[in-house]
Amino acid sequence: MLVANKAPTSNPHLLSWVDEMARMCKPDQIYWVDGSDEEAKRLTDEAVAMGVFIPLDPDKKPNSYYSRSNPNDVARTEELTFICTPTKDEAGATNNWMAPDDAYRKLGEIFEGSMKGRTMYVIPYLMGTPDSPFAMLGVELTDSIYVVLNMRIMGRIGAVALERLGGSAKFNRGLHSVADCDPQRRYICHFPQDDAIWSVGSGYGGNALLGKKCLSLRIASYQARQEGWLAEHMMLLEAESPEGETHFIAGAFPSASGKTNLAMLLPPKEFEGWRIRTIGDDIAWMRVGDDGRLYAVNPEAGFFGVAPGTNEHTNPTAMEMVSHDAIFTNVALTPDMDVWWEGMDGPNTDLVDWRGRPWKRGSKEPAAHPNSRFTVPLENNPRLSRYATDPKGVPISAILFGGRRSTTVPLVLESFNWTHGVYMGATAGAETTAAITGAVGRIRRDPMAMLAFIGYNAGDYFAHWLSMFGRMSHPPRIFLVNWFRKGDDGRYLWPGYGENMRVLKWVIDRSVGRAGALETPIGYTPRLGDLDLSGIDASTEAIEAALRIDPDEWQKELEAHGDWFDRLGGTVPEALRLQRRLLIASLKAVS
Ligand code: GTP
Ligand code: SPV
Ligand code: MN
């Protein structure tokens, strides 16, 4: 077993906070993580000895490990996530709220003695590269070795973070304990005014890897508003044309709706010479540069991606990426110690499912949990952009907002201007699936894919987005996209995946003013001839149907936007309410 070590810092703020938290949680020992490779090896061996990690076959999956979470703890729990601002209004209608004092008291009772018999790991970490002025510093205290080994991949941890911290008191204070992993005693609380996060009762994903959603989105979005920048749930990609012209595109899609796929897109063969390279697949921080353009960085150092559905056809890049040095959580295990999930070929044998139970081939129950994931470092991506770790970020040409909509929303729609673009993001929605509790097929509005991640009042967040326009001389163009529209037969109208390259090309060409479009009352769409459709495996009728704007559907849609704004209350900016009325009136005028 690991032994306690001496604190590798004399920072009094850090030392006294760790001491205070340890007195509450009462771990048997405290271990300061240094982030070295040698340490990672020791921690990994320890995780194997504890049964937290199962080594995979070193020939099939070199240096890779398999892990299972508690079956009651398999995804982020939005209903147990709180923004703890002094007033409820600051958190707004989209967040759960608890008064800070109440939250500290309530969670304090659960944290009390929660680490007895365990080690408290101290993880100093950076989100962003060490040489980036935009990097954010946090320290996560956790009793989970699984969290340490995942944070090691997703952030930059240990000495590099302590060095940057120096003697400063400015770092996010993150306290995490799996405690007894009881859903009744599970809370993920954010204290934006204190720059603090307390998370208890869960050991998986965004609930527990505090650098990810908690710091880089909820706390960061709160600070971004005060400081005039944006912290967003977006993938980032580099697109290089055969002529060597490079564009950077940001895209916000709700969880499990295709960010990872798009960031790793392989163009179809008709697009020979085009290169799409990944910068990030989940989070973008964006600031206005000296030249008036919007620059984005990916603050993460790895990918925590959805496994099911990933295969050689949908995402060959990801398949290559997870072939070594990976952690897999809640997928299925093969008898020869490899991994399997729904969407892969086979299986040719019976398996052990994500709960650790025998699974018969052909069984109807999924062998891998639908939210099972892989964790891999950025470097594993064979098509990583050389700008992925650029400290100043990349200038964004276009922003895409998307969601899963089986009706109404066309394949792609370009906004008239920034305000209209912000409106598109603010009203974006996705159909609920079986994975989310509630009625299936209902539209859940997910503004900018940030519903679960805005660290303050959503109306104020829209106002902040609108205000960003005034800071830029070259703002990116904003588009709404939908890969998920269905025909009457219930099948997707658009082939998606690599074929989305055709939409990306139109988006890029529009952003430099060299592609045609049809102006409609609700935005610009490509006509068939404006898209490069050479060799596509889809009928003209299907593509026309994917692009179509149906006035009746849009009347209803714009009505629903009104209900959504009413739900958000008085902070929704007047510009967005007027934008809605203008769209309704424009649509009526021509129908
Ligand atoms: P988080 O990591 O949860 O934030 O989500 P993500 O947006 O990175 O999710 P991911 O890319 O893993 O989404 C995967 C899901 O989107 C799978 O169900 C895919 O089948 C589906 N998907 C991705 N691209 C397309 C597409 O072009 N067309 C269709 N129909 N489905 C797609
Ligand atoms: C998401 O749910 O949007 C994720 C996974 O990216 S998690 O990190 O668990 O939030
Ligand atoms: Mn995400």
Side-chain angles (χ1 to χ4, degrees):
M1 173 151 156
L2 280 177
V3 281
N5 56 5
K6 201 171 143 288
T9 175
S10 55
N11 181 316
H13 314 286
L14 179 53
L15 289 173
S16 67
W17 173 66
V18 171
D19 189 54
E20 191 191 335
M21 295 301 108
R23 265 182 286 134
M24 174 167 66
C25 299
K26 301 186 174 53
D28 280 12
Q29 58 170 356
I30 299 176
Y31 177 81
W32 290 72
V33 174
D34 68 25
S36 66
D37 290 343
E38 179 271 327
E39 175 191 74
K41 205 188 160 309
R42 266 188 297 125
L43 289 174
T44 302
D45 290 346
E46 169 103 4
V48 172
M50 290 164 74
V52 172
F53 270 14
I54 299 173
L56 294 171
D57 181 321
D59 291 327
K60 298 196 173 73
K61 291 279 184 301
N63 197 26
S64 298
Y65 296 87
Y66 176 72
S67 190
R68 289 190 185 100
S69 71
N70 190 313
N72 77 25
D73 183 29
V74 291
R76 279 183 301 104
T77 43
E78 294 175 10
E79 65 288 4
L80 305 173
T81 299
F82 293 80
I83 300 297
C84 306
T85 42
T87 67
K88 188 167 169 24
D89 277 351
E90 282 168 90
T94 58
N95 284 307
N96 299 309
W97 174 82
M98 236 193 275
D101 286 350
D102 293 346
Y104 283 129
R105 194 176 326 108
K106 190 168 191 159
L107 275 69
E109 281 165 18
I110 307 172
F111 275 119
E112 184 64 41
S114 69
M115 297 189 187
K116 271 185 196 152
R118 300 181 192 173
T119 301
M120 174 190 269
Y121 301 90
V122 182
I123 318 172
Y125 66 93
L126 275 176
M127 298 307 292
T129 55
D131 50 349
S132 170
F134 310 135
M136 283 179 83
L137 240 163
V139 179
E140 175 166 356
L141 309 180
T142 179
D143 55 5
S144 162
I145 196 167
Y146 170 88
V147 165
V148 179
L149 288 163
N150 276 269
M151 281 290 285
R152 180 175 169 271
I153 296 175
M154 298 310 294
R156 294 163 177 94
I157 70 172
V160 64
L162 281 185
E163 204 168 291
R164 177 138 170 175
L165 177 64
S168 167
K170 193 175 160 15
F171 59 94
N172 178 272
R173 287 155 171 78
L175 177 63
H176 170 253
S177 173
V178 181
D180 49 5
C181 202
D182 176 357
Q184 300 300 318
R185 298 174 4 118
R186 179 175 295 159
Y187 295 96
I188 297 91
C189 288
H190 305 72
F191 306 89
Q193 275 87 350
D194 300 344
D195 199 0
I197 303 158
W198 280 19
S199 165
V200 69
S202 164
Y204 187 52
N207 283 350
L209 312 176
L210 301 189
K212 206 172 170 40
K213 305 296 165 129
C214 301
L215 178 66
S216 294
L217 289 179
R218 298 193 191 97
I219 298 285
S221 64
Y222 179 90
Q223 296 183 2
R225 179 183 174 227
Q226 294 178 325
E227 297 165 6
W229 54 283
L230 295 166
E232 299 298 324
H233 190 205
M234 289 179 175
M235 68 93 218
L236 289 169
L237 65 78
E238 174 198 349
E240 189 185 344
S241 74
E243 296 77 34
E245 188 180 312
T246 298
H247 286 273
F248 300 97
I249 296 176
F253 310 123
S255 302
S257 295
K259 289 185 299 299
T260 304
N261 282 85
L262 191 63
M264 295 170 195
L265 180 150
L266 264 196
K269 61 179 187 311
E270 296 80 13
F271 281 67
E272 168 113 50
W274 278 88
R275 304 250 179 286
I276 303 297
R277 301 188 187 96
T278 313
I279 296 176
D281 81 335
D282 201 48
I283 298 175
W285 290 346
M286 305 195 283
R287 284 178 168 77
V288 181
D290 295 336
D291 60 359
R293 295 201 283 176
L294 190 61
Y295 282 76
V297 297
N298 164 20
E300 298 193 283
F303 304 104
F304 182 60
V306 178
T310 308
N311 61 46
E312 290 300 341
H313 169 69
T314 59
N315 197 342
T317 305
M319 290 306 281
E320 221 174 307
M321 199 164 81
V322 303
S323 64
H324 61 98
D325 299 277
I327 300 171
F328 298 92
T329 310
N330 293 344
V331 299
L333 200 54
T334 68
D336 56 356
M337 301 312 279
D338 200 350
V339 291
W340 189 88
W341 50 75
E342 277 65 28
M344 284 184 16
D345 286 343
N348 302 321
T349 63
D350 294 345
L351 303 168
V352 179
D353 77 2
W354 65 274
R355 287 183 176 90
R357 300 185 310 202
W359 184 90
K360 284 252 164 296
R361 195 149 47 123
S363 164
K364 276 195 203 57
E365 284 217 11
H369 187 276
N371 191 41
S372 54
R373 296 203 176 228
F374 52 78
T375 320
V376 291
L378 288 185
E379 307 85 75
N380 270 32
N381 183 327
R383 294 179 189 86
L384 190 69
S385 166
R386 68 187 136 124
Y387 303 103
T389 53
D390 190 320
K392 64 176 192 319
V394 294
I396 298 299
S397 301
I399 293 173
L400 315 179
F401 291 122
R404 286 172 185 265
R405 293 293 303 268
S406 58
T407 69
T408 316
V409 177
L411 179 62
V412 55
L413 189 64
E414 182 187 353
S415 60
F416 293 123
N417 53 43
W418 184 262
T419 300
H420 182 214
V422 172
Y423 179 92
M424 284 175 164
T427 55
E431 256 134 65
T432 53
T433 62
I436 306 174
T437 46
V440 172
R442 250 195 30 232
I443 312 275
R444 169 173 125 133
R445 297 291 153 191
D446 191 346
M448 286 83 173
M450 284 285 282
L451 181 67
F453 310 119
I454 304 169
Y456 57 100
N457 186 299
D460 293 338
Y461 168 75
F462 299 159
H464 177 54
W465 260 91
L466 289 173
S467 80
M468 288 298 290
F469 185 60
R471 299 169 193 268
M472 295 180 282
S473 54
H474 302 287
R477 298 286 189 97
I478 300 179
F479 300 79
L480 189 63
V481 301
N482 179 23
W483 320 135
F484 299 92
R485 199 169 186 181
K486 289 178 174 170
D488 297 334
D489 57 1
R491 306 225 324 231
Y492 290 121
L493 290 165
W494 177 252
Y497 302 101
E499 304 297 334
N500 295 335
M501 182 66 226
R502 302 172 193 272
V503 176
L504 283 186
K505 181 167 186 297
W506 184 75
V507 161
I508 290 167
D509 286 342
R510 287 296 293 173
S511 71
V512 294
R514 66 178 168 223
L518 175 73
E519 181 174 342
T520 81
I522 57 159
Y524 299 106
T525 57
R527 292 160 299 206
L528 272 188
D530 296 320
L531 289 172
D532 184 342
L533 296 170
S534 53
I536 195 170
D537 186 15
S539 71
T540 305
E541 297 74 53
I543 297 169
E544 272 173 344
L547 288 169
R548 206 169 90 83
I549 289 163
D550 181 309
D552 293 338
E553 282 183 339
W554 272 93
Q555 292 287 1
K556 286 199 200 93
E557 177 72 13
L558 291 162
E559 283 304 318
H561 295 173
D563 298 341
W564 165 235
F565 284 167
D566 289 346
R567 246 199 70 206
L568 295 180
T571 54
V572 173
E574 184 64 5
L576 297 187
R577 293 191 183 270
L578 287 174
Q579 176 69 73
R580 174 176 163 271
R581 287 171 53 194
L582 178 59
L583 292 169
I584 291 176
S586 306
L587 196 60
K588 276 213 182 103
V590 298
S591 49

